[in-house]
Amino acid sequence: MKKIMKTFLIIILVIFVVILLGMFAFIKIAEHRETNYSKYTETAGKLEKKYTELGDREVSYKDYDANDDVIGKYALWYPSELESKDNKYPVVIFANGTGSTSSTYKPFLEHLSSWGFISVGNDDKDTRTGASLEQTIKFLIKENENRDSVFYQKIDLDNIGIGGHSQGGAAVFNMVVNQEHGSMIKALYAASATSSYHTMVMGDQWKYDISKVNIPTFLTGGTGQWDAGNATSKEQATDDKNGVVQGIAPLWSLQENYNLLPETIDKVVARKKNTDHGDSYKQFDGYMTAWFMYYLQNDKEARKIFTVGGELPTNNLYQDVQTNIK
């Protein structure tokens, strides 16, 4: 009996160890895919593939205590060559989705910096008003004038872009429209921006007026259930009993925002197939990078993506594309 019990315990122990090893391997694989997400991102266009891959710059990182409990810290990824060159580098500031911090977007911002940008995040988990983005710009202005800073006279304050995911989408609209230094932003990107239905329901400074945005704007979303839902207008309330779901960034919202933007600015909207809310910013990374490459680095090849009849409108991984760029 003791022998049987001992054998049984050994079997249980072996099973436990195997399960632990399996969980460890799963976590490591997930971490590897997250860190190297660009290698696993599906692309179809030639230029989409080009800008989804890492750029040719090595990337360094610094962070600074914001002395603010909400913002936490300013996190900066930048081309390592910045430390030894006298060049100025364009900036992209990124607004977190709900509950996220700069670490959530670490590989994403490293990727952007490999293309020659200073990529900046912070740890504000509720970015919607754009207030933490305003403080981030003030911090950058200060660092650019700080003789003891590695960024002294290296930040191109004439070429600042802003991007955001989910709640961060509302944040970038509010930053440009409502904050003191909103006029310094040259180009805007919003991945799966929270719809006006949800901003209306949640209130508490979630609302934004995108009609007042007056800079080039790229709006994106996915076709997955969390992003798209199945409601076809703002008037349909989420109703579990009747199967009505308001997605976070549904097609009606993307089209509403696109139509509200002035016709005098460059504007583009697109949805990527088989993409949902949590991955939408990564799945659009190549085209987002190209967007900022054109507007902040004057990369004329990148522009070809967004024109009528260009690569994005003809890419079979995307749908519901609208652009007014000729």
Side-chain angles (χ1 to χ4, degrees):
M1 186 68 181
K2 288 184 178 180
K3 187 176 181 181
I4 294 174
M5 194 65 174
K6 184 178 180 181
T7 302
F8 176 75
L9 290 173
I10 290 172
I11 292 172
I12 293 296
L13 180 61
V14 169
I15 292 172
F16 180 72
V17 170
V18 169
I19 291 173
L20 280 180
L21 289 173
M23 291 175 62
F24 179 77
F26 177 81
I27 291 171
K28 287 298 180 183
I29 291 171
E31 288 177 348
H32 174 78
R33 288 183 66 93
E34 178 68 19
T35 302
N36 299 279
Y37 73 91
S38 60
K39 296 180 180 179
Y40 299 95
T41 300
E42 186 178 7
T43 60
K46 179 181 177 181
L47 295 177
E48 181 184 23
K49 183 177 187 301
K50 172 183 174 178
Y51 293 107
T52 298
E53 294 174 351
L54 288 172
D56 60 4
R57 272 84 158 192
E58 291 186 7
V59 176
S60 295
Y61 171 80
K62 288 184 182 295
D63 58 48
Y64 300 80
D65 188 344
N67 296 311
D68 182 299
D69 291 340
V70 172
I71 297 173
K73 68 182 180 185
Y74 301 112
L76 290 84
W77 289 264
Y78 59 95
S80 302
E81 66 183 29
L82 175 148
E83 297 181 3
S84 59
K85 291 189 174 183
D86 292 328
N87 299 349
K88 288 190 174 185
Y89 293 81
V91 178
V92 175
I93 306 170
F94 201 76
N96 307 318
T98 303
S100 298
T101 65
S102 58
S103 63
T104 305
Y105 304 98
K106 176 178 180 291
F108 177 75
L109 295 173
E110 285 180 329
H111 173 272
L112 197 54
S113 289
S114 75
W115 283 92
F117 297 94
I118 299 172
S119 305
V120 189
N122 62 52
D123 284 358
D124 182 7
K125 297 179 181 180
D126 294 290
T127 56
R128 56 188 175 273
T129 66
S132 60
L133 299 174
E134 169 68 17
Q135 292 305 312
T136 301
I137 287 190
K138 289 181 178 179
F139 164 77
L140 292 172
I141 293 171
K142 184 177 178 181
E143 282 301 294
N144 198 48
E145 298 301 322
N146 179 4
R147 291 180 179 275
D148 296 324
S149 172
V150 68
F151 298 104
Y152 175 64
Q153 297 296 299
K154 303 289 184 67
I155 302 173
D156 187 352
L157 297 175
D158 292 326
N159 282 292
I160 299 177
I162 195 166
H165 173 232
S166 191
Q167 182 179 162
V172 297
F173 304 144
N174 283 326
M175 170 66 210
V176 170
V177 172
N178 297 328
Q179 297 297 333
E180 178 185 356
H181 291 89
S183 60
M184 292 182 69
I185 308 301
K186 191 173 179 180
L188 184 153
Y189 168 73
S192 301
T194 308
S195 78
S196 58
Y197 169 84
H198 289 292
T199 62
M200 173 185 65
V201 169
M202 290 182 286
D204 190 26
Q205 299 179 308
W206 276 82
K207 291 184 179 181
Y208 53 81
D209 185 354
I210 197 171
S211 70
K212 294 181 180 178
V213 172
N214 60 357
I215 56 175
T217 298
F218 184 22
L219 307 171
T220 66
T223 61
Q225 183 70 0
W226 280 101
D227 248 11
N230 59 20
T232 57
S233 74
K234 183 190 302 186
E235 285 66 39
Q236 291 179 278
T238 292
D239 183 350
D240 294 336
K241 183 178 178 180
N242 293 305
V244 178
V245 178
Q246 277 284 0
I248 297 171
L251 177 59
W252 69 258
S253 175
L254 290 166
Q255 292 176 334
E256 174 186 79
N257 283 341
Y258 179 85
N259 291 332
L260 284 171
L261 286 166
E263 288 299 324
T264 53
I265 66 169
D266 289 353
K267 57 181 182 176
V268 180
V269 63
R271 293 203 298 168
K272 192 167 187 178
K273 300 174 184 177
N274 303 314
T275 294
D276 215 339
H277 192 71
D279 286 333
S280 61
Y281 67 95
K282 290 181 285 189
Q283 286 294 320
F284 272 94
D285 192 15
Y287 283 155
M288 180 212 67
T289 300
W291 183 257
F292 289 127
M293 286 293 292
Y294 173 56
Y295 288 102
L296 304 182
Q297 295 195 38
N298 197 31
D299 181 342
K300 298 296 177 58
E301 184 177 40
R303 184 180 185 277
K304 298 176 183 177
I305 291 168
F306 304 103
T307 57
V308 175
E311 183 176 288
L312 176 55
T314 57
N315 188 326
N316 61 17
L317 295 180
Y318 297 82
Q319 65 183 56
D320 307 305
V321 180
Q322 292 178 263
T323 177
N324 70 348
I325 302 175
K326 300 295 192 289

